[in-house]
């Protein structure tokens, strides 16, 4: 379970979708004066060097944030512009060498009376995260805990202010993560039914990955809660291989993540129009073949 490091994937197309959605959610939630508590179940290291060994080895940022910056539309959608402005604030000049993970995306937007709870179990990333957060001198506003986020968040729901965003983006390298996400959200809705629950997941050739959004939708519907589901596909998951595969017309798995999704329960009413404008621009900028696409659906009261 300690093999996954988000540093290899920082700034990829999944992060573009994930963090654009996160910024758009916070843009609305932070308009109300009452304090907001944000719970980040899998915080990672917090900050990433795109010119560092990990990111350079995978090259995923080149097909994500860097590709987006190189293919910007003339007038970026407001949600996309807000995300790009945030990333730019961590860099100087016209270069993009630092990428903020979700802890620093949230921290950058929070007000002094809001609270951020960060959970990270990976020993190296937890230590790095602690050091990165310590430089902010944020005091009691931000807490870093080397604990299992799936379990540890329970003690913070409901929060004293009765306003919370739970953000969950595990690696899903362990198949059980899918079931644990469902259990986490189900328990969260029982403890704090009015909280906003945002779940990222990879769209890969695994039954659990395709079942997750369906089960989250059923859960939200049964609880009488509104929901929103957005996906971003940048390429086909399969390609025609060489040799025998090409001769027979069969396909083989294409390397790299082809798509991902965000599922939000109790989303701000502003989120759907924000993503409706941003998603087509993401497809145009990040699409790698004719299969690039996006989807956006919502339901509930």
């Amino acid at each position: 379970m300690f093999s996954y490091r988000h540093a290899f994937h920082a700034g990829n197309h999944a992060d573009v979708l994930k963090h654009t959605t996160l910024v758009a959610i916070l843009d609305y939630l932070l308009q109300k004066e009452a304090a907001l508590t944000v719970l980040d179940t899998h915080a990672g290291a917090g900050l990433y060097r795109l010119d560092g060994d990990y990111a350079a080895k995978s090259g995923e940022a080149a097909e994500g944030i860097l590709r987006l910056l190189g293919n910007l539309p003339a007038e970026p959608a407001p949600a996309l512009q807000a995300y790009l402005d945030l990333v730019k604030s961590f860099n100087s000049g016209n270069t993009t060498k630092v990428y903020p993970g979700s802890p620093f995306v949230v921290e950058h937007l929070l007000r002094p009376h809001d609270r951020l709870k960060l959970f990270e179990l990976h020993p190296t990333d937890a230590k790095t995260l602690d050091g990165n957060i310590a430089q902010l001198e944020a005091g009691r506003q931000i807490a870093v805990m080397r604990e299992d986020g799936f379990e540890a968040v329970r003690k913070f729901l409901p929060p004293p202010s009765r306003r919370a965003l739970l953000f969950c983006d595990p690696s899903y390298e362990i198949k059980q993560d899918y079931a644990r996400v469902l259990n986490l959200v189900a328990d969260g809705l029982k403890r704090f039914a009015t909280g906003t629950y945002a779940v990222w997941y990879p769209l890969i050739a695994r039954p659990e990955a395709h079942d997750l959004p369906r089960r989250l939708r059923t859960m939200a519907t049964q609880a009488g809660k509104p929901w929103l589901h957005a996906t971003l596909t940048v390429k086909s998951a399969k390609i025609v291989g060489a040799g025998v595969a090409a001769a027979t017309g069969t396909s083989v798995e294409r390397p790299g993540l082809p798509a991902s999704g965000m599922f939000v329960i109790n989303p701000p009413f502003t989120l759907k129009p924000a993503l409706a404008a941003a998603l087509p621009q993401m497809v145009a900028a990040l699409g790698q073949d004719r299969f690039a696409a996006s989807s956006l659906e919502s339901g509930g009261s």
Side-chain angles (χ1 to χ4, degrees), residues 17 20 27 33 92 95 101 129 213 243-244 258 267 291:
L17 171 65
T20 298
D27 178 65
E33 180 58 30
S92 58
T95 61
L129 176 64
V244 175
F291 295 99

Side-chain angles (χ1 to χ4, degrees), residues 39-127:
L39 307 168
D40 190 339
T41 63
H42 296 76
L47 284 172
Y48 304 95
R49 294 286 306 190
L50 297 184
D51 57 352
D53 292 341
Y54 294 117
K57 183 177 181 180
S58 71
E60 291 188 21
E63 302 300 338
I65 182 62
L66 300 181
R67 185 185 182 106
L68 178 62
L69 290 170
N71 293 282
L72 283 179
E75 295 185 14
L80 197 57
Q81 187 64 64
Y83 160 70
L84 292 169
D85 288 344
L86 189 147
V87 173
K88 185 177 181 180
S89 71
F90 286 86
N91 294 272
S92 58
N94 294 321
T95 61
T96 305
K97 295 182 178 180
V98 176
Y99 189 83
S102 52
F104 277 79
V105 169
V106 176
E107 183 279 330
H108 187 80
L109 299 173
L110 288 192
R111 304 159 303 181
H113 62 294
D114 298 317
R115 295 292 180 265
L116 175 58
K117 312 293 184 184
L118 303 172
F119 306 90
E120 179 53 53
L121 203 53
H122 192 290
T124 304
D125 282 353
K127 183 178 180 180

Side-chain angles (χ1 to χ4, degrees), residues 210-251:
H210 294 270
D211 192 43
L212 180 63
R214 290 196 292 266
R215 295 185 65 178
L216 286 170
R217 181 173 55 194
T218 298
M219 187 184 300
T221 301
Q222 290 177 344
K225 300 299 179 183
W227 56 270
L228 179 145
H229 181 212
T231 68
L232 174 65
T233 300
V234 300
K235 61 185 178 182
S236 170
K238 296 182 179 296
I239 56 173
V240 175
V244 175
T248 59
T250 58
S251 59

Side-chain angles (χ1 to χ4, degrees), residues 195-208:
T196 297
Y197 298 85
V199 174
W200 173 87
Y201 70 97
L203 263 170
I204 55 177
R206 174 178 273 183
E208 295 85 358

